[in-house]
Amino acid sequence: MLYFLFLILIFFLFLVAASGIRIVRPYERGLVERLGKFRKEVKAGIHFIIPFFDRMIKVDLREHVIDVPPQEVITKDNVVVTVDAVIYYEITDAYKAVYNVSNFEFATIKLAQTNLRNVIGELELDQTLTSREKINTKLRTVLDEATDKWGIRITRVEIKKIDPPKDIMEAMSKQMKAERTKRAAILEAEGIRQSEILKAEGQKQAAILKAEGEAEAIKKVAEANKYKLIAEAQGQGEAIMLVFKSIHEGNPTNDVIAVRYLETLKEMANGNATKIFLPMELSGILGSIGAISEMFKSGGEKDNA
């Protein structure tokens, strides 16, 4: 019987000793109280406390998220909007988070709702819908300053949605539709204008190219005619020089020159138009003709003899 009681006592002492073992994880901090008084803060690892005298409060240091319930907020231009937000926070001081506030999550939610009304109340509806980043930054700054004494750091504040009233939504939808229709009409007019400008530019460029082509063609034709006339003049000049040279080298008599002159006059007189030629050396030409006539007569008499 005594042996059995001894075993029970040992087992009881083992349970009491086991109840004094506490394990703190890497993302936690432990606050040890002895008889209701804060004794120390412990980090990750295994720790022993005195059962029935000591108590350990564990504080999670990981980042947490709080969903702020949707609430109605009045903007600067007196429009009621429903705002829904979330808050991300982490505990930086376990002692302050436990002993400086009874329920820091509830306190943070109420603080966020109050400041959300203040921040959005300074903005008009259009600014509220287009300035979410500004609202997030300002609200985070305000909450971080207010929760610093609680040992809490607000890491992010995100506005999930901002819902204006139904009639405002319909008006905004109509305004957006009108703006899109206006932009479409402006873009269409701009496209037509650009098309006409490009068409006119194309016609202008075509006319310029055509004029340049015609000018270049006229220039080429003129150069060809010039080259032709120069070549003909050079040929005629060379021919005249050859004839003149041949005449001087052949030492022709006056009779031969007179005959050639008459042949030239005959060629010049050919044609339908009436032509009158008055040679400058008319007497000399007549004398030559007379000499030629006597020459032909003398030749005929000799033939008769």
Side-chain angles (χ1 to χ4, degrees):
M1 185 67 179
L2 293 175
Y3 179 74
F4 180 71
L5 292 175
F6 180 74
L7 290 178
I8 292 176
L9 180 61
I10 292 176
F11 181 73
F12 178 75
L13 293 176
F14 178 77
L15 291 178
V16 171
S19 65
I21 298 175
R22 294 291 184 270
I23 297 176
V24 179
R25 298 192 178 188
Y27 54 83
E28 295 177 332
R29 291 293 183 271
L31 302 178
V32 180
E33 294 179 351
R34 177 168 294 174
L35 299 176
K37 183 180 180 181
F38 175 74
R39 182 171 177 269
K40 63 179 179 178
E41 178 179 337
V42 296
K43 297 183 179 180
I46 184 170
H47 302 276
F48 298 94
I49 63 174
I50 301 174
F52 308 113
F53 291 94
D54 293 344
R55 183 172 74 99
M56 179 180 286
I57 303 173
K58 294 181 180 181
V59 180
D60 193 340
L61 301 183
R62 291 178 295 181
E63 188 173 22
H64 299 268
V65 59
I66 300 176
D67 190 359
V68 180
Q71 60 174 335
E72 293 184 349
V73 182
I74 300 177
T75 62
K76 187 177 181 180
D77 49 353
N78 297 323
V79 179
V80 179
V81 296
T82 302
V83 183
D84 189 7
V86 291
I87 301 173
Y88 295 86
Y89 73 93
E90 62 183 7
I91 297 175
T92 58
D93 192 328
Y95 179 88
K96 292 181 179 180
V98 173
Y99 295 105
N100 287 4
V101 60
S102 61
N103 188 340
F104 59 82
E105 288 193 358
F106 180 77
T108 304
I109 290 175
K110 293 305 178 182
L111 187 62
Q113 290 177 338
T114 304
N115 285 278
L116 193 59
R117 294 190 186 97
N118 296 334
V119 172
I120 294 182
E122 298 175 355
L123 302 175
E124 295 182 354
L125 178 60
D126 292 339
Q127 294 176 328
T128 302
L129 297 176
T130 58
S131 305
R132 291 196 178 190
E133 189 64 30
K134 180 180 178 181
I135 297 173
N136 294 338
T137 303
K138 189 171 183 180
L139 189 58
R140 189 197 69 81
T141 303
V142 174
L143 292 177
D144 193 34
E145 292 177 355
T147 57
D148 184 61
K149 64 180 180 179
W150 299 342
I152 297 173
R153 186 172 70 91
I154 304 298
T155 56
R156 294 193 307 276
V157 176
E158 298 291 340
I159 301 297
K160 293 200 305 184
K161 60 180 180 179
I162 300 176
D163 294 333
K166 185 177 180 181
D167 56 343
I168 299 296
M169 291 290 291
E170 292 177 355
M172 292 174 62
S173 178
K174 292 180 180 179
Q175 181 182 2
M176 186 181 299
K177 183 178 180 181
E179 287 291 334
R180 289 180 177 176
T181 303
K182 176 183 175 182
R183 287 199 298 268
I186 292 174
L187 290 175
E188 183 179 2
E190 187 66 24
I192 294 174
R193 173 176 172 272
Q194 192 67 21
S195 175
E196 293 296 329
I197 291 174
L198 292 176
K199 184 178 179 181
E201 288 290 338
Q203 292 176 351
K204 175 184 175 182
Q205 191 67 21
I208 292 173
L209 292 175
K210 182 179 179 181
E212 290 178 352
E214 292 177 352
E216 188 67 21
I218 293 172
K219 181 179 178 182
K220 295 294 184 182
V221 171
E223 290 179 354
N225 291 333
K226 176 182 177 182
Y227 180 78
K228 178 182 177 182
L229 294 175
I230 291 173
E232 289 179 352
Q234 290 178 350
Q236 291 176 359
E238 292 176 357
I240 292 171
M241 291 298 295
L242 290 174
V243 172
F244 183 77
K245 183 178 180 181
S246 299
I247 290 173
H248 282 278
E249 290 178 354
N251 195 18
T253 61
N254 291 333
D255 298 336
V256 175
I257 293 174
V259 172
R260 183 58 180 167
Y261 184 77
L262 291 175
E263 290 178 351
T264 303
L265 290 177
K266 180 181 178 181
E267 292 178 358
M268 293 174 62
N270 287 335
N272 297 325
T274 302
K275 302 178 181 64
I276 299 175
F277 297 96
L278 296 175
M280 296 178 63
E281 299 294 336
L282 183 61
S283 59
I285 295 172
L286 291 176
S288 299
I289 293 173
I292 294 170
S293 177
E294 290 296 332
M295 181 180 63
F296 281 111
K297 288 179 180 182
S298 299
E301 291 176 357
K302 291 178 180 181
D303 291 336
N304 293 328

